[in-house]
Amino acid sequence: LRVVALASLLATGSGTQAKRTPLPPISDAILQEHVELGEELESRADGDLNGDGDPDTAYLIASEDRRTLHVLLRIPARGAQPHRPAGEFVLPEAPLGPASLSIANGVLKVEDLSGGTTAMSSTYRYRFDAKTGQMRLIGLDATLYSRTFAHDGYEMSWNLLTGAIITRLLALDEGSGDAAYTPKFEQRSRRPSPPIAMKDTPDPEMIMVDLRKK
């Protein structure tokens, strides 16, 4: 009985240790240390990206001519550094509003709208790569369209994990009296790619140009 009781106590103690209280998210004060004169913290999102149970942070710093996405992984405080960088990416210029950041099920989603009367709506998805210790692009969706319905549009959805890519022409449809788009000519193909680090995220418009040449 004593052996059983001791085993039970050890198991209970081990379980208690495994269920430690998660660390708090990185504070706004720490993020502000990375913001320089003429810049602002446009948006942030917190969530577990590397599966350790602690909240990591993605944040976007913006200035008049540059917008940079950063990812910091939360680590147990050692000295004065309770975090480490895991990737960054310069977003397109001319934003049409703040980008939206969210973290769910270990995936960072970045939704951004940029351009002018011709706009690009882009959704980037990233996941932590344990082999490199950095964030990796796993999905890219984009739509190029006219905000004044002056021309046709084009959209694509690329799953980098499987290589599957779907493209559609968005044809102007004025039959209802108000200009709108109707998806046409959907094509499904494959675009295999080696792992792409966050810092090497491609320009979706350049990918669209390449796809339309084929």
Side-chain angles (χ1 to χ4, degrees):
L1 291 176
R2 290 181 178 178
V3 173
V4 173
L6 179 59
S8 176
L9 179 61
L10 291 174
T12 302
S14 175
T16 302
Q17 184 177 7
K19 296 180 180 179
R20 67 175 176 81
T21 302
L23 296 169
I26 297 169
S27 68
D28 285 337
I30 290 178
L31 296 186
Q32 288 294 338
E33 293 176 0
H34 300 268
V35 179
E36 300 181 356
L37 185 65
E39 297 178 336
E40 65 176 357
L41 185 62
E42 182 175 306
S43 53
R44 69 173 287 174
D46 303 294
D48 186 9
L49 289 170
N50 58 356
D52 65 358
D54 293 321
D56 308 303
T57 299
Y59 65 101
L60 183 60
I61 291 180
S63 65
E64 289 187 0
D65 56 0
R66 189 178 178 88
R67 305 162 66 224
T68 307
L69 173 69
H70 301 268
V71 173
L72 295 178
L73 299 183
R74 189 72 164 94
I75 60 176
R78 297 188 180 98
Q81 294 297 329
H83 60 269
R84 73 170 182 84
E88 65 178 45
F89 163 53
V90 178
L91 272 71
E93 299 177 2
L96 296 171
S100 171
L101 309 181
S102 61
I103 297 174
N105 300 318
V107 175
L108 167 63
K109 182 167 72 171
V110 181
E111 298 173 281
D112 188 44
L113 181 63
S114 60
T117 54
T118 295
M120 175 71 76
S121 173
S122 305
T123 299
Y124 310 85
R125 291 179 175 82
Y126 299 94
R127 182 177 291 164
F128 179 71
D129 186 343
K131 292 182 179 180
T132 62
Q134 297 290 305
M135 299 298 291
R136 169 186 172 185
L137 181 69
I138 63 170
L140 177 55
D141 301 335
T143 302
L144 182 70
Y145 67 101
S146 169
R147 297 167 66 202
T148 58
F149 300 105
H151 55 71
D152 291 341
Y154 190 76
E155 64 181 2
M156 72 170 189
S157 178
W158 185 21
N159 183 331
L160 280 81
L161 296 178
T162 65
I165 188 165
I166 302 172
T167 60
R168 300 181 190 88
L169 173 69
L170 302 179
L172 282 173
D173 180 8
E174 301 178 358
S176 62
D178 294 325
Y181 284 115
T182 299
K184 291 185 177 181
F185 308 117
E186 178 176 295
Q187 292 186 333
R188 295 173 179 264
S189 59
R190 288 182 53 78
R191 189 184 178 93
S193 170
I196 297 178
M198 173 179 278
K199 65 182 180 64
D200 297 321
T201 299
D203 181 346
E205 186 170 0
M206 293 298 98
I207 296 177
M208 288 180 173
V209 170
D210 183 52
L211 290 171
R212 299 189 74 172
K213 289 179 180 179
K214 298 180 179 180

